[in-house]
Amino acid sequence: MDGLFTADIENRGLVLDPRTKLFVIITLVIFALGGTGSDIAAVRYGTAAVSILPAVLLLTAKQYGKAAVFGILFVAVKAAQLLLLPYITGAALSILGICCMVFVRLMPGLIMGAYMLSSTTVSEFIAAMHRMHIPQQITIPLSVMFRFFPTVLEEFTSINTAMKMRDIRIGGKYAGRFIEYRLVPLMVCSVNIGSELSAAALTRGLGTKVRRTNICRIGFHVQDIAVLILTAGLYILWILGMIGVVI
Amino acid sequence: MKDAVLLRDVTFQYANGDSGALNEVSMTVQHGECVLLCGASGCGKTTVTRLLNGLIPHYYGGALSGEITVFGRQIRETAIEDLAGTVGSVFQNPRSQFFCVDTTAEIAFGCENMGLPEAEIKQRLSKTVSEMHIQNLLDRSIFNLSGGEKQKIACAGVSAMLPELIVLDEPTSNLDLDAIAELRTVIAAWKAQGKTVIIAEHRLGWLSGLCDRVLFMEKGRISAEYAGDAFFSFTAEKLNGMGLRAFRASRNYLESKPGLHCIRPFESAGSISLTDFKFSYGKHTALNIRNLNLPAGSVTAIVGHNGAGKSTFTRCLCGLQKGFKGRVSIGGKMLRPKDMMQLSYMVMQDVNHQLFAETVLEEVLLGAEESEKDKALSVLEKLDIAEYKDRHPMSLSGGQKQRTAIASALLAGKKLLVLDEPTSGLDFRSMKSAAALLRSLGRDITVLIVTHDNELIDRCCTHMLHIENGSIAPD
């Protein structure tokens, strides 16, 4: 299985603190997706630089294919946006506009989120949330996500195979019920797995009143500081732009 | 000394009507004893394990009466999570008993929940790992482990919590013989440490010499009790008469040489010839068979150790493997992978993945024409599931779901039926009827069964294909 969300902690390359990754995601949402400060040229360049960060991180995790696809798409669409957008009109403009929306604004955050899911272990995540003083009631449900996405994806692949053998496909005889036929088994399997997973976790003491220990060590290293400086720089540029120091 | 486990007049009925209700069950288990619970599906053996780890009544609700005491603690008044240091549980499905994504954290997970000091956890972790010889499994991703390796990690996680009582609910359903042998050593070690072990199982052979006492359950009652030695000297006929699986089949097919063997008189009627069945995942060659003629109309078992390339072989044959270049020809006609996908159908181990429709009848008609309703009904009749035709497929039992999947393949005119471990989790009766069904499908359909179940092979297969290291060449 080589899914986007599949955790592969065996060769994840550069190990970043989960808090660093979270900070990058939030920054991408604010600046790339939200378009904050896009009237300031310096912030626009900064946003582009931070947006390409997920590709770099994927490269360090040896996920060359995904890194290349995302990197090239981003650079190509961004270049088209800068060079072509002022000169085109009509349908071409709409299409390019949609492409920009998806590949330049939405994708960086999504890719970063996928990278975070695939490169963070559950214990690192719980440790990070604990350091940020987030209560367990929020942390534990969120941490289940790390197990759940890859598992559902595995189920989904099996269901796909089964559908192929039954000749249920887009354009086939049952195109209209394509989605229903896919969702029913997926939901049944997910619910079964979810309920068995909770039962197993309970028998192993999840949810006791005792304060939970975590043997996982997390902390900020050189690579975290580099990423944090780059990302924080964006906020500084924005503030400087707001008060008119840079344009 | 007080008993480790005491059940007195326990009666239980699942709130959602699941099978496995208990009727006035009483039992005691001594400290350090190893007890086997056996019986047909739905006899209540799983329910007993759930009483012991507190999942009943705290997680699976229902009407419960009677007294349950485990190491002096009243289960009904103790929360499941507070039992964690006392009772450890190993479950059936390795896919759904892990909370973490990496193995080290998974082994430490229970201890972390108990709030033990960090140094203590580290010490327990390294002790468990060296006792179980699983150094090579540390810091791995759960998703890259085999079923046997996953079950070992589950046992290690339980071991590290140092529970007094360990309950295992059908722990071998998804394991091959090698992995079962390894699980056996783990349990033997627990016994040597003086832990109390209770196992609910329908595969029995591997427990011989391990269990001190055997409780045989029928319809929610403990109907007989045997000393371990006496029970494990029962004949296959006696066990089968009780609805239990035999300890071992007449022969272990894994001991044969790789290649295709005929194991039952069979009149040949043409063949399915496979050429250049070669496939690699990256640098790893998973399959390397130059030429093979599968007898058409046969029931062929595909055996081999875990990772031998059995599933790659069936995926290639059914046209499901992307990038596969081999060729198949039937009766001189060359077939492309796309044609093979049309002709073949795979019944998966988790059959939930392939039931889509709202009723059984609608399900089997899915691949066929509307006009074939009469034919559909007769197929359902033949497979003994006609009475469920208006039920939702997901509400059926495992064996019935399997039959529904087979029925849909028959109706869609599939000529090649592949079953992946069809008897994992089936008791003797369901195994027997599955074997009878597969044997009766007729010469028109070629059946391939990927299985570790020697008893099933004994009962229904005409041929056996032994694959090792992706190859069928005798080495």
Side-chain angles (χ1 to χ4, degrees):
Chain A
M1 270 287 308
D2 188 24
L4 194 58
F5 293 103
T6 308
D8 188 5
I9 53 125
E10 283 167 33
N11 45 28
R12 51 183 168 153
L14 205 60
V15 178
L16 289 180
D17 189 284
R19 287 167 287 179
T20 310
K21 297 178 211 171
L22 211 55
F23 184 58
V24 175
I25 292 184
I26 292 170
T27 308
L28 282 173
V29 168
I30 293 175
F31 288 94
L33 186 61
T36 310
S38 57
D39 49 343
I40 305 159
V43 173
R44 281 203 300 275
Y45 295 127
T47 306
V50 176
S51 297
I52 209 76
L53 196 59
V56 178
L57 292 173
L58 283 176
L59 274 182
T60 69
K62 300 202 185 75
Q63 306 197 16
Y64 303 118
K66 282 174 219 159
V69 170
F70 166 67
I72 291 168
L73 269 176
F74 178 81
V75 171
V77 177
K78 185 77 192 169
Q81 182 191 12
L82 293 176
L83 304 174
L84 293 179
L85 210 55
Y87 307 107
I88 57 176
T89 51
L93 181 65
S94 315
I95 292 169
L96 187 59
I98 291 169
C99 286
C100 289
M101 184 63 207
V102 173
F103 293 111
V104 175
R105 308 187 79 165
L106 196 59
M107 278 280 271
L110 275 182
I111 297 284
M112 190 61 206
Y115 169 77
M116 171 156 179
L117 276 180
S118 73
S119 67
T120 311
T121 68
V122 175
S123 17
E124 281 174 349
F125 178 77
I126 294 181
M129 297 299 265
H130 184 71
R131 296 274 180 88
M132 293 189 289
H133 303 287
I134 312 263
Q136 269 201 16
Q137 287 83 336
I138 296 174
T139 311
I140 288 176
L142 279 178
S143 63
V144 174
M145 208 170 60
F146 286 86
R147 256 313 306 275
F148 200 65
F149 273 120
T151 309
V152 166
L153 211 71
E154 274 183 354
E155 301 295 307
F156 199 69
T157 317
S158 304
I159 293 168
N160 250 341
T161 309
M163 294 185 71
K164 268 194 211 157
M165 285 185 293
R166 294 289 285 279
D167 206 23
I168 306 171
R169 56 194 158 79
I170 296 178
K173 203 165 116 194
Y174 299 96
R177 312 186 70 175
F178 187 70
I179 293 175
E180 178 194 329
Y181 285 157
R182 177 161 311 214
L183 283 185
V184 169
L186 187 65
M187 282 190 316
V188 170
C189 293
S190 306
V191 168
N192 282 347
I193 285 185
S195 122
E196 286 172 20
L197 202 60
S198 325
L202 282 172
T203 64
R204 298 180 55 198
L206 187 68
T208 33
K209 308 283 177 300
V210 200
R211 198 186 146 86
R212 196 174 184 282
T213 327
N214 198 324
I215 61 163
C216 173
R217 298 223 170 271
I218 55 163
F220 295 110
H221 300 286
V222 185
Q223 60 269 34
D224 291 289
I225 292 166
V227 170
L228 286 174
I229 287 176
L230 176 67
T231 319
L234 201 49
Y235 292 89
I236 295 170
L237 283 178
W238 179 46
I239 293 167
L240 290 179
M242 294 285 278
I243 57 176
V245 180
V246 294
I247 45 160
Chain B
M1 185 167 240
K2 280 181 90 175
D3 296 322
V5 171
L6 172 75
L7 262 61
R8 190 176 291 153
D9 297 329
V10 176
T11 298
F12 179 77
Q13 183 87 46
Y14 283 99
N16 58 5
D18 272 0
S19 67
L22 295 182
N23 196 353
E24 296 194 349
V25 169
S26 298
M27 64 183 244
T28 53
V29 176
Q30 311 282 306
H31 263 278
E33 234 187 335
C34 178
V35 174
L36 164 66
L37 297 167
C38 61
S41 297
C43 70
K45 53 186 189 300
T46 296
T47 313
V48 172
T49 65
R50 288 176 177 168
L51 286 172
L52 300 179
N53 55 26
L55 284 176
I56 294 176
H58 304 295
Y59 189 75
Y60 298 103
L64 175 69
S65 69
E67 186 192 333
I68 311 146
T69 318
V70 176
F71 286 92
R73 301 173 83 161
Q74 296 290 328
I75 293 290
R76 300 175 71 168
E77 273 110 59
T78 315
I80 312 174
E81 53 267 31
D82 295 329
L83 276 171
T86 315
V87 185
S89 311
V90 177
F91 299 92
Q92 175 179 7
N93 188 349
R95 279 186 309 168
S96 62
Q97 57 175 318
F98 294 109
F99 195 77
C100 303
V101 289
D102 64 309
T103 51
T104 312
E106 184 61 38
I107 300 174
F109 179 71
C111 298
E112 291 180 332
N113 288 333
M114 287 159 69
L116 298 173
E118 199 176 316
E120 163 95 24
I121 297 180
K122 291 226 158 112
Q123 190 226 326
R124 285 190 184 194
L125 189 73
S126 62
K127 187 160 175 280
T128 310
V129 167
S130 70
E131 273 172 7
M132 295 183 57
H133 309 291
I134 48 170
Q135 286 83 353
N136 58 330
L137 295 183
L138 282 186
D139 291 314
R140 296 271 303 273
S141 165
I142 290 282
F143 296 98
N144 296 344
L145 299 185
S146 72
E149 288 170 335
K150 281 182 186 165
Q151 211 57 303
K152 267 201 213 166
I153 295 295
C155 290
V158 166
S159 233
M161 294 167 78
L162 303 178
E164 286 298 313
L165 169 69
I166 298 164
V167 291
L168 300 97
D169 180 16
E170 302 193 8
T172 65
S173 304
N174 295 294
L175 303 189
D176 71 357
L177 292 174
D178 295 346
I180 292 178
E182 288 181 21
L183 183 64
R184 190 192 149 92
T185 42
V186 172
I187 293 175
W190 282 341
K191 250 186 95 174
Q193 291 165 14
K195 303 207 184 295
T196 313
V197 181
I198 297 178
I199 308 166
E201 252 299 15
H202 61 252
R203 271 164 106 162
L204 304 173
W206 67 284
L207 291 164
S208 168
L210 206 56
C211 290
D212 307 309
R213 203 149 55 95
V214 180
L215 301 176
F216 173 61
M217 297 187 64
E218 269 177 314
K219 296 182 183 149
R221 289 172 189 274
I222 296 176
S223 60
E225 187 179 327
Y226 306 95
D229 298 338
F231 180 78
F232 286 103
S233 59
F234 283 1
T235 59
E237 288 73 34
K238 174 151 187 181
L239 289 166
N240 291 351
M242 293 162 75
L244 298 175
R245 303 292 297 265
F247 298 133
R248 57 188 65 80
S250 60
R251 57 186 284 208
N252 180 4
Y253 292 97
L254 272 183
E255 283 163 5
S256 67
K257 283 204 167 111
L260 182 71
H261 308 277
C262 183
I263 54 176
R264 186 171 268 153
F266 183 78
E267 216 172 288
S268 179
S271 64
I272 304 174
S273 23
L274 320 180
T275 319
D276 283 334
F277 263 57
K278 291 176 183 163
F279 194 80
S280 318
Y281 299 99
K283 283 192 192 112
H284 170 68
T285 307
L287 190 64
N288 187 7
I289 298 174
R290 189 178 299 162
N291 265 312
L292 174 66
N293 286 324
L294 286 174
S298 68
V299 180
T300 301
I302 301 178
V303 301
H305 287 91
N306 274 355
K310 303 185 296 280
S311 9
T312 310
F313 176 77
T314 52
R315 287 182 61 83
C316 288
L317 184 59
C318 295
L320 293 167
Q321 190 70 56
K322 271 189 197 147
F324 171 66
K325 299 272 190 303
R327 298 188 302 279
V328 182
S329 79
I330 301 177
K333 197 170 164 240
M334 280 298 229
L335 298 165
R336 289 169 304 161
K338 225 174 106 189
D339 304 320
M340 283 312 288
M341 208 196 292
Q342 296 271 319
L343 272 184
S344 56
Y345 193 66
M346 196 186 289
V347 179
M348 300 170 168
Q349 194 175 356
D350 187 349
V351 76
N352 285 327
H353 289 142
Q354 50 196 154
L355 301 174
F356 307 106
E358 273 163 40
T359 67
V360 170
L361 186 62
E362 198 185 317
E363 179 71 44
V364 297
L365 281 172
L366 207 61
E369 303 297 323
E370 271 305 311
S371 56
E372 292 190 273
K373 201 168 165 191
D374 292 337
K375 199 179 153 203
L377 287 172
S378 77
V379 169
L380 290 180
E381 198 76 50
K382 187 178 158 203
L383 298 194
D384 244 357
I385 42 173
E387 56 182 306
Y388 307 112
K389 70 178 165 54
D390 295 321
R391 289 259 298 266
H392 198 289
M394 293 292 185
S395 70
L396 302 177
S397 79
Q400 291 159 350
K401 282 181 191 169
Q402 217 170 55
R403 279 158 187 266
T404 308
I406 294 176
S408 59
L410 294 183
L411 214 70
K414 305 281 189 182
K415 295 292 173 227
L416 179 70
L417 190 60
V418 178
L419 296 103
D420 188 10
E421 295 289 351
T423 54
S424 85
L426 293 192
D427 63 2
F428 173 71
R429 237 182 41 144
S430 324
M431 186 277 293
K432 196 172 131 195
S433 59
L437 166 66
L438 293 173
R439 220 174 34 217
S440 71
L441 288 179
R443 301 297 294 260
D444 199 25
I445 293 170
T446 309
V447 182
L448 294 179
I449 311 173
V450 178
T451 186
H452 295 300
D453 189 338
N454 289 321
E455 219 178 340
L456 175 75
I457 303 179
D458 265 350
R459 281 176 180 272
C460 70
C461 293
T462 59
H463 291 77
M464 173 192 65
L465 178 66
H466 187 172
I467 304 182
E468 287 304 342
N469 303 319
S471 154
I472 52 165
D475 44 17

